[in-house]
Amino acid sequence: RKVSKSRDTAPPPPLSHTQETLPNTPYLNTMASTSMSMAAAPVARTSRNLKSSKFHGAKVSAVKRVAAVKVNTEVVAAGKPLPEGRKLRVVVVGGGPAGSCAAETLAQGGCETFLIERKMDNCKPCGGAIPLCMVGEFDLPEEIIDRKVTKMKMISPSNRAVDVGQTLNDKEYIGMCRREVMDDFLRKRAVSVGTTMINGLFMKLDDPGQGNGPITISYNDYEGSKVGVAKTMEVDVIIGADGANSRVAKNIGAGEYDYAIAFQERIKIPDEKMEYYKDLAEMYVGDDVSPDFYGWVFPKYDHVAVGTGTVVNKTAIKTYQAAMRKRAEEKCAGGKIIRVEAHPIPEHPRPRRVQGRVTLVGDAAGYVTKCSGEGIYFAAKSGRMAAEAVVEYSQNGTVEVDESDLRQYLDKWDRKYWATYKVLDILQKVFYRSNPAREAFVEMCADEYVQKMTFDSYLYKTVVPGNPLDDIKLLVNTVASLTRANALRSAGKAQVSM
């Protein structure tokens, strides 16, 4: 695809040069990892070991402040080379994994990058599980990983427990993180490579860049202000990474999607109870904890996260959470709730994910898988892929991009992950529809071949070729389990009718 744009048309009248004083931004004076070398960029060092931090996240070392700088904010017509000394200006809205990874890639790729985030210490209600491949692919240091889970228990509606994880080797694990720690680290790493961090709240945008002019965004700047100062900025490209309730998505008419409500309680339990969960996570299924999802107990540094979610009956989420606590009460006895969290989780991609020079990533785009509810890896991956497209087609920030360039990211994303989302959607519809089906699901999890295929696919985010004979055996066992589930379901209905 030819990247350079046609110059057959006369350039538009030049825009006036405006000068804008940007908010003071932190410069990290010490950026190094104590556990892993960073291939892409240096990492932020915390001021003390995470083991001595409180549950709400590690404190970071004091940072130096630098004076605000004057920046030329002229935006030229789409498709034209940028003036010498002026780089493509991109604003990323939202400082979670999607936004931070996008900002880091943009800054490294030569773009003038701004990252807007309102809540710097945000504790998003999230299970916090990350696959092993994310640790290496995104150069995550071990300090931000609270627990390395090597064992899981799948617990059925009848409380039958199946141990999962027998196929993992001694170097494989599922990482458990606190989002406030991981998000803070990723933001600081983006800043370390040149991103300008803005403590602000995105309000609106004008024309999303379907014409040749600049995109004007309005935001409230909270740097040094509790009430926020209204400001505007002219940019070339916007990446919306502002979550399930994305304002950027609303501004481009991205369309609605169905969503789940996730409810989670962080519970500080006695040390002897915590010892049980040191490398173990639990997943509970049943109509009592969720009519269409699962409940979980995931270990963190010094507490457990106990939660559940639902799409079909959001108003009853507290009832399901109470049932989840009841199912796990013996193992969490003596615990104290230290934080309560709730948040919407998208159930499928939005109808529109790009318009003009605005695109969506992460939860804003709807990239959370069904069945497992996984979103962290796909958020970070989508942010990086969108940014890579901008860097590539802008020739490292020297040429304007347009909608066709941003669509390269969407095409690549859909080709890579469409099948994954579709398969997990089918599995949720098949196995989460009734208690008998959930019993069949847990029964299948006892199969070693099922565990190997499941963990290999999850940990490495790749489709692992199966053994044909084992695949046939798995198909037969699946059909048998579902047949028994349907028989039990029919018997239950008949018993009720009598």
Side-chain angles (χ1 to χ4, degrees), residues 310-384:
T310 179
V311 176
V312 301
N313 194 4
K314 302 178 183 68
T315 58
I317 187 65
K318 289 186 177 181
T319 301
Y320 299 134
Q321 178 65 11
M324 184 59 223
R325 282 199 308 272
K326 182 71 174 175
R327 292 276 293 272
E329 67 177 347
E330 183 178 340
K331 285 169 280 190
C332 295
K336 178 183 178 182
I337 297 175
I338 55 179
R339 193 178 188 91
V340 179
E341 307 160 325
H343 198 74
I345 298 176
E347 279 291 291
H348 56 79
R350 288 188 187 270
R352 173 183 292 162
R353 290 168 285 161
V354 63
Q355 184 181 30
R357 283 173 276 132
V358 181
T359 193
L360 304 174
V361 295
D363 283 14
Y367 295 151
V368 176
T369 61
K370 290 191 176 181
C371 192
S372 66
E374 182 186 4
I376 298 176
Y377 174 81
F378 293 110
K381 186 70 172 180
S382 63
R384 176 176 283 184

Side-chain angles (χ1 to χ4, degrees), residues 158-175:
S158 63
N159 280 327
R160 176 192 177 187
V162 169
D163 292 321
V164 181
Q166 305 168 36
T167 62
L168 296 179
N169 63 42
D170 58 359
K171 295 182 180 180
E172 292 179 323
Y173 62 88
I174 298 172

